[in-house]
Amino acid sequence: MVKEVRNIRRQVLPHGLTVITEQMQHIRSASIGIWLETGSRDEDSESNGISHFIEHMVFKGTKHRTAEEIARQVDSIGGNMDAFTAKECICFNVKVLDEHVPVALDILADLVLHPIFDAEDITRERGVILEEIKMDEDNPDYLVHEIFTQHFWKDHPLGKPILGTKETVKRFERQTVFDTYAHRFAPGNIIVSAAGNLDHDKFVDLVTKHFEHMKPRENGFHSAQPKIVSRIILRNKKALEQVQLCLGVPCHPIAHEQRHAGYVLNTLLGGGMSSRLFQNIRERQGLAYSIYSDLNPYRDTGCLAVYAGTSRASTAKVVQSVVEEFRKLKQETVSDEELRRSKDQLKGSLMLSLESSTARMSNLARQEMYFERFYDLDELIEKIEAVTAADLQNLANEFFQTEKVAVAALGNLTGLKISRDQLAC
């Protein structure tokens, strides 16, 4: 089935792999991504971190190329190659000049389809990832988010770190890597998306040539919906100069019909320099250098979280100020002027973010994963424009409930207490 929206075309190959392209004739580049619809949330606790480990390992050599040859061939066409693992997907991508699309896809497909997972490389890479874990643990704002997430979705893979833990990574052996790879990399689980100056039919032919030998397989993923636990977690780390704070509440899943109101609410609350949190807590009170809010929606759950870095003496005041902002959004209708500003900010950042071929390629894959249809910019803008002040107030009343607020604090917390009463909103 081929469906036309803008210059977007989509085709599903007989064995289940989906190919999506968007033609952008005004540019000379093309971005290609091979996406797996499975990430760290589909791991069991013993193999936590294995998706990220495999993402690293495919670059270590294939049946046709050594690691050095992969790097050299990408450099020789002036390409940028990258990969990442998220909670619900793994992506391998490359950006090149339009004339190099066949070579780029050949290299990318080789990585994904023919890795050798050499035992010595696995031993070496375990060491590299253990260093990556240590590096993240030395980064306090990353660490407070991890502590927050682990307790928010407690005992569920969604709450576990994408990199895994020192204990799990040390256990990864060749057989585990192979078994997980064989189970995950099934055609029904793969989206190949591309955006840029390319022709859809020719691109589908290229993808077919590389991937047609894959055997269709059942994909038993999609872990159960996590239960949310809203707790107050205080983690003492005396060496830190600042207290790192995370306050969050459950929000809607990624495809919820109220999602556009959620984006506007987040923008208004903590998305940028004119947001309420930034203006109140940084500019008026001078209590934090860094403060923002973030929406993290997933397939079946989500979280709206506020982050702040502040001094031990100001921690209680920051918590109180954030909770007051929650309360205000519930009790008072947002003014027309502030609503207008938040919508314009959101629309502007959306439009700017979709100017590159890489962003378009990602957008195609994500829309396929979560919506199974494509929204063009005009439709998105229409949805944002349709959000009313009443929608925001209703959403605030749904999200910001005292018993639903979860907190993680990390730093030199001697004598600090945060009680549920302080979170009354």
Side-chain angles (χ1 to χ4, degrees):
M1 172 188 135
V2 175
K3 189 163 128 191
E4 297 267 2
V5 173
R6 264 194 335 241
N7 296 324
I8 296 172
R9 292 180 60 192
R10 169 183 185 271
Q11 202 159 326
V12 181
L13 304 187
H15 58 16
L17 182 143
T18 306
V19 186
I20 315 163
T21 67
E22 178 173 4
Q23 195 172 27
M24 300 166 73
Q25 287 174 325
H26 58 287
I27 60 174
R28 285 296 315 274
S29 70
S31 293
I32 307 167
I34 298 177
W35 295 72
L36 264 87
E37 291 191 69
T38 167
S40 66
R41 76 168 290 174
D42 297 308
E43 299 165 347
D44 51 35
S45 51
E46 295 76 61
S47 62
N48 175 215
I50 192 88
S51 309
H52 173 255
F53 195 79
I54 289 172
E55 174 236 305
H56 274 231
M57 282 306 303
V58 301
F59 286 90
K60 298 298 163 212
T62 70
K63 291 174 183 160
H64 310 113
R65 293 172 171 90
T66 65
E68 194 177 335
E69 282 165 348
I70 294 166
R72 200 178 292 147
Q73 284 179 11
V74 174
D75 283 349
S76 71
I77 53 173
N80 283 330
M81 189 180 260
D82 202 5
F84 66 84
T85 302
K87 303 268 183 186
E88 295 185 330
C89 65
I90 306 171
C91 169
F92 304 91
N93 58 78
V94 64
K95 181 174 183 170
V96 290
L97 291 177
D98 47 19
E99 68 209 62
H100 298 312
V101 164
V103 183
L105 184 65
D106 185 67
I107 299 168
L108 209 54
D110 189 23
L111 289 185
V112 172
L113 294 171
H114 309 292
I116 46 179
F117 298 134
D118 178 76
E120 279 183 22
D121 287 337
I122 286 177
T123 307
R124 249 196 312 271
E125 203 54 33
R126 277 202 304 258
V128 170
I129 290 173
L130 289 171
E131 289 307 316
E132 192 179 352
I133 291 172
K134 286 183 208 162
M135 183 176 80
D136 282 344
E137 285 177 353
D138 282 345
N139 174 354
D141 81 347
Y142 166 87
L143 197 54
V144 77
H145 279 101
E146 272 305 326
I147 294 167
F148 178 85
T149 306
Q150 283 175 34
H151 288 92
F152 196 73
W153 288 298
K154 197 167 169 52
D155 301 328
H156 188 278
L158 200 55
K160 301 265 194 298
I162 291 170
L163 299 185
T165 64
K166 289 172 189 162
E167 294 69 42
T168 57
V169 171
K170 278 176 186 158
R171 289 200 297 266
F172 293 159
E173 295 296 343
R174 190 164 191 246
Q175 198 53 52
T176 325
V177 174
F178 253 121
D179 292 347
T180 310
Y181 168 82
H183 186 44
R184 299 276 180 107
F185 286 61
N189 212 14
I190 295 176
I191 298 167
V192 180
S193 69
N197 195 7
L198 44 77
D199 174 86
H200 176 78
D201 297 317
K202 285 184 185 152
F203 188 73
V204 170
D205 290 344
L206 284 174
V207 173
T208 306
K209 188 181 88 187
H210 288 294
F211 288 89
E212 63 187 348
H213 69 278
M214 292 183 89
K215 302 275 182 290
R217 263 201 322 273
E218 274 304 302
N219 160 14
F221 296 121
H222 297 339
S223 57
Q225 186 175 350
K227 286 190 174 54
I228 290 171
V229 190
S230 295
R231 295 175 57 192
I232 299 168
I233 305 296
L234 305 180
R235 184 74 56 84
N236 214 4
K237 194 167 183 183
K238 286 203 164 67
L240 294 182
E241 292 288 330
Q242 265 196 325
V243 172
Q244 309 287 323
L245 268 178
C246 233
L247 285 91
V249 292
C251 74
H252 294 143
I254 204 160
H256 196 279
E257 67 267 10
Q258 284 281 307
R259 65 184 176 276
H260 303 95
Y263 292 133
V264 177
L265 183 71
N266 177 59
T267 302
L268 188 142
L269 175 66
M273 290 166 69
S274 65
S275 68
R276 291 184 172 190
L277 288 172
F278 192 94
Q279 283 300 315
N280 177 5
I281 293 170
R282 176 172 159 157
E283 298 297 294
R284 278 187 219 111
Q285 299 188 65
L287 297 175
Y289 170 72
S290 177
I291 179 153
Y292 58 84
S293 67
D294 237 348
L295 263 186
N296 292 300
Y298 296 104
R299 208 168 48 229
D300 49 9
T301 183
C303 174
L304 191 165
V306 172
Y307 162 81
T310 189
S311 68
R312 162 70 188 81
S314 302
T315 304
K317 187 80 182 108
V318 170
V319 171
Q320 182 195 338
S321 301
V322 171
V323 172
E324 270 170 16
E325 294 300 343
F326 291 171
R327 196 181 309 124
K328 264 193 214 152
L329 284 165
K330 291 167 70 171
Q331 292 170 352
E332 300 164 19
T333 314
V334 172
S335 72
D336 292 347
E337 190 249 346
E338 193 179 13
L339 182 62
R340 174 80 274 134
R341 206 172 56 229
S342 299
K343 285 181 180 179
D344 288 345
Q345 184 188 340
L346 190 57
K347 291 187 320 193
S349 61
L350 259 174
M351 288 184 210
L352 292 175
S353 73
L354 287 177
E355 286 198 337
S356 76
S357 58
T358 306
R360 291 284 180 107
M361 175 276 292
S362 296
N363 192 36
L364 290 180
R366 289 182 197 282
Q367 296 209 9
E368 171 69 24
M369 260 185 255
Y370 292 111
F371 303 105
E372 294 178 342
R373 57 157 292 204
F374 302 104
Y375 293 87
D376 64 13
L377 213 47
D378 294 339
E379 189 176 355
L380 271 174
I381 286 168
E382 207 176 291
K383 297 269 195 216
I384 291 167
E385 282 299 341
V387 174
T388 64
D391 292 336
L392 297 187
Q393 197 167 5
N394 292 339
L395 213 53
N397 277 292
E398 183 187 341
F399 288 173
F400 304 129
Q401 296 175 29
T402 305
E403 67 284 357
K404 286 187 178 176
V405 181
V407 180
L410 171 74
N412 189 353
L413 307 178
T414 315
L416 179 75
K417 288 189 173 56
I418 297 174
S419 67
R420 186 61 59 189
D421 296 343
Q422 284 167 269
L423 306 175
C425 54

